[in-house]
Amino acid sequence: MNNSPESGLFTRIMTTMMQGVRQFFQLWSLQTLTDMPDRLRNLWQQLIGSYWFIPTACVIVGILLAPLLVTIDQHFDRETVREITFAFTGDDDAARAIMTAIAGAVLGVAGTTFSITIAVLSMASSQFGPRLLRNFLTDTPNQFVLGAFIGTFSYSLLVSKSIHKYDVAFGVPQLAVTFAIIMAIICALLLVYFVQHMVHAIQASHVIQNASNDAINNIHYWYRDHCDIQHQRDIQHQRDIEHHDIEQFHHWSAMPIYPPSSGYVQQFYLESLITLTQDYGGVVQMRINLGDYVTDKNVIGYFYQRPAGHPNNRQKTATPSLAVVPRAPDGIFWQRFAGCIRIEQRLTHSNDIAYSLGQMTEIAVRALSPGINDPKTAVNCVQSLTSCLSIMMRREPPSPYHFYTPAQNDDSSKAEVRQQRLAILAIVTHTPKISDFINTSLGEIRRYAAADLMVLKALCQAMVNLSYASVNNAQQQTLLHEIKLIERAGEENLSYQELIDDLSAMCQQAQQFILSNDAHHQYFDYVSAFDAHIRQALQTQSK
């Protein structure tokens, strides 16, 4: 009987199911738990990035609140309700008329607010760029106002359904109708707030400030304080001296890594990737940054497999899945790697600093277009970008090296524990330099503002302001190089020689100021030749 075809088929099915369950837990048991905060944060960003989330939540609250208040009404003393001066005490016809009026009014106002929102989005798309639409869609006050309107509408419909033509003491939910009246008054106030908020939200300074705050939050996410990072780098440097994997892993056996799909890279789940590298005994080097577009045929990195005699292969750890002998990537490796990287078909909000800075750059470039011709907005973008870049220059950049520290064994001696907890190199990421951010933000504005003296002088002043935050010679040389490009752009594109001389004089003074030894304790004050002549003439007349 055990050799029957049905029994063999059943055995094969059960074996296949068990293998699938084992692979599932192998794929998701460790990496999903270790990166759960990042995955939940991405899910939350996707939810608030949709325009339906908060309004839908308000509708659900209205649907749940209506039967709750009606039930409370049935067990509440009506004489006590009549003692409340603002409570509704009318009959069923009056209650039904009030609820119908409230439902119709708030639904009409909801349509009006939706029309206003669409008009604002259309204007923002043409003036600031389509990538700035997310900032308007994810605006919590706008979503809450619309949610309050449709939530009140849903609540009014359900309460009106509970009004019966019986005795007043039992047929009219007085507290529920009173609450609907209060909500109608609140909705009227919210309409006034909505108009005032939208007028303020479409101002260029407000849009730039929101983009700047977003960029600063991303900078704080990646760039840590100088003291904390310096301490971590000292520890990391000691670890690097002990095993030298940073210098040697390029000589190991390498295998190219391909993305699981085409799209924009939005997130690396480092903890999951570290677990994966330790399971297969190697180092993953990523060659791409957040926000890069890749296809499924692009090589985005390499997996370097540790040699068989490498000392880290003999590390004793508390992790059973840690590879003692390195193994080549197989099908499970590529399935798990697909869960370590998040790729979207369009650029979305993430912790990408370049994406946040690019929003301000896009506003400035559009402001410099002939259709808009608003150089003052471009100057405001330059100033906001300067503030963000200044914060980056004063902080320690994130390290591209990510290590794995084996768990400690309590039964080991101190020498064994010290040997056991030696950090193992796991991931090498590609970290953009400050010069890359300056080139893709302020440098992009310079290329479009080559014929605008106001913006070119603002860019030159930005280089001076950034020099106060420079901490090394490489940053200083980057600023000097950018000033030379600004001067050259003005020489080739400005219309009048007087304008060219004015910009050249400012650039030369800026270069001398940046190269001075005591520039961090001085104030840069550029005075053109014409202004200096006027000042001298006024001083002569006063004497």
Side-chain angles (χ1 to χ4, degrees):
M1 184 177 296
N2 294 334
N3 296 329
S4 62
E6 292 80 2
S7 178
L9 179 61
F10 177 77
T11 303
R12 289 195 297 269
I13 293 175
M14 291 300 298
T15 303
T16 305
M17 291 178 60
M18 292 299 296
Q19 290 178 353
V21 171
R22 189 181 300 109
Q23 291 180 1
F24 175 81
F25 282 106
Q26 185 178 4
L27 284 172
W28 300 108
S29 59
L30 291 178
Q31 65 180 12
T32 304
L33 293 177
T34 53
D35 287 312
M36 186 60 67
D38 291 335
R39 297 178 188 274
L40 291 178
R41 181 168 51 249
N42 293 332
L43 178 61
W44 175 250
Q45 290 178 354
Q46 292 177 3
L47 289 177
I48 65 174
S50 58
Y51 197 66
W52 58 267
F53 179 67
I54 294 181
T56 302
C58 292
V59 171
I60 295 176
V61 170
I63 293 175
L64 298 177
L65 198 60
L68 177 62
L69 290 181
V70 171
T71 303
I72 294 176
D73 257 310
Q74 295 176 357
H75 299 83
F76 203 78
D77 186 10
R78 297 308 174 96
E79 296 299 330
T80 305
V81 176
R82 292 188 178 93
E83 294 178 359
I84 303 175
T85 56
F86 60 87
F88 174 79
T89 57
D91 57 2
D92 58 329
D93 291 333
R96 190 176 293 106
I98 290 176
M99 300 306 297
T100 303
I102 291 176
V106 295
L107 184 61
V109 174
T112 302
T113 57
F114 186 75
S115 301
I116 295 175
T117 303
I118 293 299
V120 170
L121 291 178
S122 177
M123 187 195 67
S125 177
S126 60
Q127 183 173 358
F128 302 120
R131 277 165 289 277
L132 271 298
L133 292 182
R134 183 191 178 278
N135 297 340
F136 291 90
L137 290 175
T138 58
D139 191 10
T140 303
N142 292 346
Q143 298 181 8
F144 180 76
V145 169
L146 181 60
F149 290 152
I150 60 178
T152 303
F153 170 75
S154 304
Y155 172 83
S156 301
L157 285 182
L158 294 179
V159 172
S160 62
K161 175 180 174 295
S162 302
I163 299 175
H164 304 288
K165 192 174 182 61
Y166 298 118
D167 185 71
V168 175
F170 299 98
V172 179
Q174 296 176 347
L175 289 179
V177 175
T178 303
F179 183 77
I181 296 174
I182 296 175
M183 286 301 302
I185 297 174
I186 294 177
C187 288
L189 298 177
L190 287 177
L191 178 61
V192 178
Y193 167 77
F194 174 78
V195 175
Q196 185 271 341
H197 179 74
M198 293 303 294
V199 171
H200 180 68
I202 61 178
Q203 296 179 4
S205 58
H206 182 78
V207 177
I208 296 172
Q209 184 62 39
N210 287 340
S212 177
N213 293 337
D214 191 15
I216 291 176
N217 291 335
N218 290 337
I219 292 172
H220 289 167
Y221 178 82
W222 290 108
Y223 285 67
R224 305 302 180 185
D225 293 337
H226 182 79
C227 295
D228 295 340
I229 285 299
Q230 186 65 34
H231 177 67
Q232 293 178 8
R233 290 189 67 184
D234 290 342
I235 298 177
Q236 216 171 66
H237 180 65
Q238 295 174 3
R239 295 169 174 171
D240 299 347
I241 292 176
E242 292 179 2
H243 54 68
H244 301 287
D245 280 353
I246 292 179
E247 292 81 9
Q248 296 179 359
F249 77 91
H250 291 96
H251 304 289
W252 301 347
S253 176
M255 177 176 291
I257 297 177
Y258 302 94
S261 61
S262 301
Y264 295 94
V265 180
Q266 296 297 299
Q267 184 78 29
F268 293 115
Y269 297 111
L270 294 179
E271 294 297 331
S272 300
L273 201 54
I274 289 175
T275 304
L276 178 62
T277 58
Q278 291 310 302
D279 288 346
Y280 283 81
V283 175
V284 169
Q285 183 181 26
M286 304 304 298
R287 294 287 190 174
I288 56 176
N289 299 320
L290 295 180
D292 290 348
Y293 182 82
V294 296
T295 66
D296 55 354
K297 300 300 182 183
N298 286 128
V299 176
I300 62 174
Y302 295 92
F303 175 77
Y304 293 91
Q305 184 176 336
R306 284 199 298 265
H310 196 277
N312 284 340
N313 295 336
R314 295 189 294 271
Q315 293 291 328
K316 297 180 180 179
T317 68
T319 305
S321 60
L322 180 61
V324 177
V325 178
R327 51 191 172 126
D330 51 12
I332 297 296
F333 176 90
W334 300 116
Q335 293 180 33
R336 293 180 61 179
F337 178 80
C340 298
I341 182 173
R342 184 167 68 93
I343 297 179
E344 301 287 346
Q345 296 303 315
R346 58 185 180 88
L347 278 174
T348 58
H349 181 271
S350 63
N351 295 321
D352 185 11
I353 299 176
Y355 179 81
S356 302
L357 298 179
Q359 290 184 327
M360 289 179 281
T361 303
E362 182 176 0
I363 296 174
V365 170
R366 283 184 172 268
L368 293 171
S369 63
I372 299 178
N373 194 18
D374 186 10
K376 186 62 179 177
T377 297
V379 172
N380 293 339
C381 292
V382 170
Q383 295 168 349
S384 297
L385 286 169
T386 303
S387 300
C388 298
L389 294 171
S390 177
I391 296 175
M392 295 176 62
M393 295 176 69
R394 292 195 304 267
R395 287 174 170 260
E396 192 72 25
S399 174
Y401 304 106
H402 304 271
F403 297 86
Y404 170 80
T405 303
Q408 182 174 348
N409 187 1
D410 297 333
D411 298 333
S412 303
S413 62
K414 294 183 178 180
E416 292 176 348
V417 169
R418 184 165 54 252
Q419 174 69 16
Q420 175 184 347
R421 293 186 58 82
L422 178 66
I424 301 174
L425 181 64
I427 305 173
V428 181
T429 56
H430 186 273
T431 304
K433 302 182 294 295
I434 188 66
S435 58
D436 299 329
F437 290 113
I438 293 177
N439 181 60
T440 56
S441 57
L442 297 178
E444 191 70 18
I445 297 176
R446 166 178 49 79
R447 287 184 279 273
Y448 282 89
D452 195 305
L453 179 63
M454 178 189 297
V455 182
L456 290 177
K457 294 179 72 172
L459 289 171
C460 184
Q461 181 66 42
M463 297 302 114
V464 175
N465 295 337
L466 290 176
S467 67
Y468 288 103
S470 61
V471 295
N472 53 49
N473 185 63
Q475 295 178 353
Q476 186 183 74
Q477 294 301 319
T478 299
L479 301 178
L480 293 175
H481 176 70
E482 191 65 27
I483 289 178
K484 292 180 181 179
L485 295 178
I486 294 172
E487 183 178 5
R488 182 177 177 181
E491 292 175 352
E492 295 179 354
N493 296 277
L494 292 177
S495 303
Y496 303 101
Q497 186 62 38
E498 290 80 1
L499 303 180
I500 298 176
D501 295 340
D502 185 18
L503 180 62
S504 299
M506 183 176 183
C507 291
Q508 292 175 5
Q509 292 185 22
Q511 291 177 354
Q512 295 175 1
F513 179 83
I514 294 175
L515 291 173
S516 62
N517 297 327
D518 198 28
H520 290 75
H521 302 88
Q522 298 180 10
Y523 175 73
F524 177 77
D525 184 19
Y526 167 68
V527 180
S528 63
F530 178 77
D531 292 338
H533 176 72
I534 295 298
R535 290 184 182 181
Q536 184 177 4
L538 292 175
Q539 292 176 359
T540 304
Q541 291 179 2
S542 62
K543 293 180 181 179

